[in-house]
Amino acid sequence: MGARPISNEPLAVSASPPLNPLPQAGGEVRRALAEAAASFASISETSRLDAELLMAHALGVTREMLLLKHLDDPTPKGFAPLATRRLNHEPIAYITGTRAFWTIDLHVGPGVLVPRADSETLIEAAIEHFGDRAPATILDLGTGPGTLLLAALSQWPEACGLGIDAFEKALDYAEINAIDLGMEERARFKLGNWATDLHGQFDLILSNPPYIGTSEALPLEVRNHEPDIALFAGPDGLDDYRVIAPQLTRLIAPGGAAILEIGATQADAVTALLGEQGLSVALRYDLGGNPRALIVT
């Protein structure tokens, strides 16, 4: 499938006055990082990391090389505009255009869900389930920029897979990511409504569906920037699980598993939906100790 060009222009948002003066070009990178981190402290729990990622992007180097070789360099002109965008609560991944996930780097931007580290729990659960075996066929329902599918294909280099998403822009990113990772022969992407009209069985099914209730509060960088279609799933956040659960019984191959991401309070409710379909369910926690993934067999 040919890749289509993607616009990564920032969303138009009104500027918020910084609590600390933003660094200007000409001073040392070391000082600029400290000033930016102080400015970000009120909007981010990872203010220093944010500053380092933006500085590395402005310099055109990796974060590791920034810290090893460039702390005494002059601050580049492009850094202050990036810091201003962050102060407007724009996600770091949208500003830099990339996000690391599992063992891969993904292109992301406005219009797609930013991959979260918590979602790596699904890959860990899949590795535990299959052990010395390897899944040959993988399905990613709601693939976004190809996050879970491409991470799984990086883990099992002999596997192939299909990613489905209802949003064409997400599939644009997924296609480009597959090409950049050299996986275009193993990964296919299709526009669709979950597994509707999909036939066949898969050894591994992964899904991070929308699971936020429509009235739930969200950080500004999520609510103001990431697409509603990838976040919200009705008043109780369960609408998409109600669609997916009945589809899984015909999709899971013998010996296979489906692994679904859930919100921290949804384990019992989603387990009940899956149990109604005669499916067995096990719960896995993320590194923060929160319920995060359901392993379905």
Side-chain angles (χ1 to χ4, degrees):
M1 185 180 297
R4 294 179 284 276
I6 295 173
S7 171
N8 196 32
E9 292 298 316
L11 298 180
V13 291
S14 58
S16 301
L19 298 182
N20 297 281
L22 284 172
Q24 299 301 309
E28 287 185 355
V29 163
R30 188 187 309 273
R31 180 177 177 181
L33 286 172
E35 293 172 349
S39 293
F40 297 160
S42 65
I43 66 165
S44 173
E45 295 180 355
T46 57
S47 58
R48 176 71 187 197
L49 175 62
D50 292 0
E52 291 172 358
L53 291 171
L54 293 180
M55 182 65 76
H57 183 65
L59 287 168
V61 300
T62 65
R63 176 172 170 255
E64 291 74 15
M65 290 303 296
L66 162 69
L67 297 176
L68 286 172
K69 294 187 175 182
H70 297 281
L71 291 178
D72 296 320
D73 287 3
T75 303
K77 291 182 180 179
F79 180 64
L82 300 181
T84 298
R85 290 171 64 181
R86 182 63 184 130
L87 285 168
N88 287 327
H89 302 276
E90 188 172 352
I92 290 288
Y94 284 4
I95 300 172
T96 64
T98 61
R99 178 73 170 213
F101 183 83
W102 196 243
T103 60
I104 59 177
D105 290 321
L106 297 167
H107 295 288
V108 296
V112 299
L113 186 73
V114 175
R116 270 74 162 169
D118 287 341
S119 298
E120 294 181 357
T121 307
L122 278 68
I123 305 297
E124 294 169 351
I127 292 170
E128 181 178 309
H129 174 81
F130 285 96
D132 294 336
R133 297 182 297 134
T137 54
I138 301 170
L139 173 65
D140 183 4
L141 294 173
T143 192
T147 303
L148 293 171
L149 176 60
L150 298 176
L153 293 179
S154 75
Q155 182 68 34
W156 292 290
E158 301 303 317
C160 62
L162 171 65
I164 293 179
D165 204 282
F167 194 26
E168 189 169 3
K169 188 166 189 178
L171 297 181
D172 290 341
Y173 278 98
E175 291 169 9
I176 287 178
N177 284 324
I179 292 169
D180 282 358
L181 293 166
M183 298 180 186
E184 66 272 24
E185 298 300 321
R186 297 196 291 135
R188 294 187 301 113
F189 299 97
K190 178 182 176 182
L191 196 68
N193 177 23
W194 302 119
T196 303
D197 299 324
L198 181 63
H199 303 285
Q201 292 186 316
F202 298 84
D203 299 320
L204 173 60
I205 301 170
L206 299 164
S207 186
N208 177 17
Y211 55 72
I212 298 170
T214 49
S215 63
E216 290 184 47
L218 290 173
L220 290 177
E221 70 178 80
V222 178
R223 182 172 286 277
N224 289 354
H225 293 275
E226 296 189 63
D228 288 355
I229 191 174
L231 297 169
F232 299 106
D236 60 2
L238 300 176
D239 281 3
D240 289 301
Y241 296 113
R242 294 185 177 101
V243 176
I244 294 169
Q247 298 175 340
L248 293 180
T249 54
R250 61 180 171 83
L251 295 172
I252 302 173
I259 304 178
L260 310 180
E261 182 162 339
I262 56 169
T265 64
Q266 294 175 321
D268 289 344
V270 181
T271 296
L273 289 173
L274 296 164
E276 291 172 2
Q277 305 300 320
L279 295 164
S280 299
V281 183
L283 173 64
R284 187 178 178 103
Y285 295 81
D286 61 27
L287 291 177
N290 299 306
R292 184 58 57 191
L294 296 179
I295 301 95
V296 185
T297 55

